[in-house]
Amino acid sequence: MFQKAYERLRAAQAARLKAAGSEGAEVEGSAEAGFTLIELMVVLLIMGILMAIAIPTFLGVTASAHDKSAQSNLVNALTTAKAYQAANQSYSTTTIGLAAVLQTSEPSLKWTGQNTNAPVSTNGITTATNGVSEMWGTLGNTIVLASPSPSDNGCWAIVDTSSTSGPTGEFDGDTTATPTIWGPGSTTVKPSSAGTFYGVFKTSTTLGCSAYNALANVTSWGHKFPGVV
């Protein structure tokens, strides 16, 4: 496209110079003189239009790829967690942190356990590639997983629960820190039946991507990942 525009501009320039010139040699030399300011501005305008179309498209594809990567990480993480739950009849652990256990089972992911709503810089927020944050309920019937998508600040999440009334009880991750409550009387949105549920929320400079933050900030849990952040 640029080559054709360039050729047309040169042809127009040569035609004008030939009409104004009186000697063939002078005309031929003048044809190499260059472009006018208007012609250069036209070329820059064309380039700007093309960039305005191409850049958003590229960014959109990049964001979509990161979203799919985060979702894939969560699906793999859930498979690993459910294998642990099947072997132990519970998602909870009384020995070492569940994140450490799952890290051994699925080392391709970077597992982070959650416990309190500490500042973003210190609460184990998972921002690395292949990062998965987990938080399990003390009743052992529910696990919450979250993974970030850096392109659009999305935090994708999965809740898996065997409780027929949805996640209940306390959620304190891997330590004895004061747990958070996500159950009867909770003001946060949560699934209301047993099953696997999917959601997403937008992170910010003060709200990182973690299983803990997913408990309070996902506003809609469905049976498949949402289409957009």
Side-chain angles (χ1 to χ4, degrees), residues 5-84:
Y6 174 79
E7 291 174 354
R8 286 198 296 270
L9 289 172
R10 285 189 62 83
Q13 175 80 349
R16 287 197 299 270
L17 292 173
K18 182 173 291 186
S22 58
E23 297 182 7
E26 292 181 0
V27 171
E28 195 65 32
S30 299
E32 301 295 332
F35 300 111
T36 66
L37 178 60
I38 293 178
E39 291 168 343
L40 290 174
M41 291 180 67
V42 170
V43 172
L44 292 175
L45 176 62
I46 294 174
M47 293 177 63
I49 293 173
L50 292 176
M51 291 176 65
I53 296 173
I55 291 177
T57 300
F58 172 77
L59 294 178
V61 171
T62 301
S64 177
H66 285 161
D67 288 345
K68 294 300 182 184
S69 177
Q71 293 169 15
S72 176
N73 290 339
L74 287 178
V75 171
N76 292 337
L78 180 62
T79 300
T80 303
K82 287 179 76 70
Y84 172 87

Side-chain angles (χ1 to χ4, degrees), residues 152-168:
D152 51 16
N153 296 324
C155 183
W156 299 88
I158 286 181
V159 172
D160 184 74
T161 180
S162 58
S163 172
T164 56
S165 59
T168 58

Side-chain angles (χ1 to χ4, degrees), residues 99 110-135 145-150 153-156 174 201-215 217:
K110 297 179 178 65
W111 296 83
T112 304
Q114 301 298 301
N115 49 13
T116 65
N117 193 20
V120 173
S121 60
T122 60
N123 73 341
I125 297 303
T126 314
T127 55
T129 303
N130 292 342
V132 173
S133 160
E134 63 81 17
M135 191 171 188
L145 302 167
S147 187
S149 177
N153 296 324
C155 183
W156 299 88
D174 297 331
F201 71 93
K202 201 84 166 180
T203 61
S204 66
T205 55
T206 57
L207 182 67
C209 182
S210 68
Y212 182 97
N213 288 335
L215 293 177
N217 292 281

